[in-house]
Amino acid sequence: MIPPGSTIGILGDGQLGRMLAIAARQMGYEVQVLGPNGPDSPAGQIASRQVVADYTDQEAVKAFARAVDVVTYEFENVSAESIKTILSEGKPARPGANVLYTTQNRLREKRFLQSIGCATAPFAAVTSENDIAVAVEVTGLPGVLKTAGSGYDGKGQRVVRTIEETAAAWEELGRVDCVLEGFVDFAWEGSIVAARGVDGSYADFGLVKNDHSHHILDVTEVPAPSVTPELSQKASMIARSILQELDVVGVLCVELFVTAEGTLRVNELAPRPHNSGHFTIDACVTSQFEQQLRAVCGLPLGDPSLLGRGAAMANLLGDVWTDHTPDWSGMMTDFPDVKLHLYGKAEAKPGRKMGHLTVSGKTGAEAAERVRQARARLR
């Protein structure tokens, strides 16, 4: 066990690192952050110290490891080699290097999911021009061509409808290793944020519904509508098997496609707290960030139960700031039950995640409608 009073090291200085640092501070931990963006970064504002360095700077990573008691990360695009460096310094890094290695590459991730019997969209590797026709035979068209690494929020992917479009998209993406995925006829998109402790204990926050806009999460509704106990149990079983087979210690989100027949297909994995889990800060007994902290420190996992009957989260993108300052006072007057979370980013840009709103309700649908109204009031 790594007790309160110890120092948590976080690789990554963005908003997820910020919210993890806040949870750590509340529990009495010191926090150090390594990232390229300086002490004014979202996480740097909360940390007691920030190391300004690239994630591949092994000397900086070594010094960072020596100054902390355990290391975790806020996103999967950090170097797996850096995790190995931290371990070589005798410090635990959770989730481990194998988790990061598997999930930071879509092709490795899909093959892992396939190997443990998880249903996914049909997929095939595209690593050269000669692979394109073969891949299309496997997946069919239309489909989505995605870079194997370094893609999120719709970045690094193209919808393709013909072989010619697929070839052109591969050129646009820089002729890098890609994955071609066939379309899934899904009714809605969901996710389940789960945690696994050092002792193998497991907890999750349940299956939630995610609505996207321009490939970016827009609103999360909790619980997902019309979720039967059987479907909820199925999602939990999938998440538990993934965390167990990857030997995850920490939090991992499983993004899912849900068909009209109630079939679940795994879309992607995120080995960290997730945007769709932000509702847990205000709506659950234990937030996903406290749960991450508990897991990586070897503490017992917390109760993930929903405090009420429904909740929702809406992202605040930089678009909300277009041509004016958002009407915070007006929104808070009209919606006194809505919680505001801003990430401390200096500049608002279209499509950039600047914060989020959360609210509770009698149902998830009621909460989702209210949080949309509250966000619209800001304009």
Side-chain angles (χ1 to χ4, degrees), residues 4-8 10 17-33 42-50 289-290 293 297:
S6 304
T7 301
I8 310 298
I10 303 172
R18 177 190 182 90
M19 288 179 271
L20 180 60
I22 290 171
R25 290 292 210 177
Q26 287 174 333
M27 290 183 68
Y29 288 92
E30 292 295 314
V31 178
Q32 295 196 22
V33 171
Q45 294 167 17
I46 307 300
S48 50
R49 175 173 177 260
Q50 173 154 6
F289 299 100
E290 181 183 337
L293 187 67
C297 290

Side-chain angles (χ1 to χ4, degrees), residues 314-330:
N315 270 328
L316 298 176
L317 303 184
D319 311 66
V320 174
W321 278 253
T322 303
D323 298 328
H324 73 286
T325 300
D327 185 6
W328 306 119
S329 179

Side-chain angles (χ1 to χ4, degrees), residues 12 25 30 33-34 62 114 133 142 161 173 207 223 233 260 288 299 315 318 321:
R25 290 292 210 177
E30 292 295 314
V33 171
L34 185 147
K62 282 182 183 179
Q114 190 178 59
R161 295 174 177 81
L173 293 171
L207 180 61
Q233 183 180 30
Q288 64 170 342
L299 296 167
N315 270 328
W321 278 253

Side-chain angles (χ1 to χ4, degrees), residues 1 4 6 23 55 78 89 104 112 124 128 142-143 169 171 181 183 193 228 245 277 283 289 305-306 329 334 340 347:
M1 186 186 73
S6 304
Y55 308 115
V78 301
E89 291 295 319
Q104 67 185 185
F112 159 74
S128 72
E171 291 284 345
E181 297 179 12
F183 274 179
V193 175
T228 63
E245 292 297 325
F289 299 100
S305 300
L306 201 63
S329 179
D334 293 345
L340 170 65
E347 184 180 1

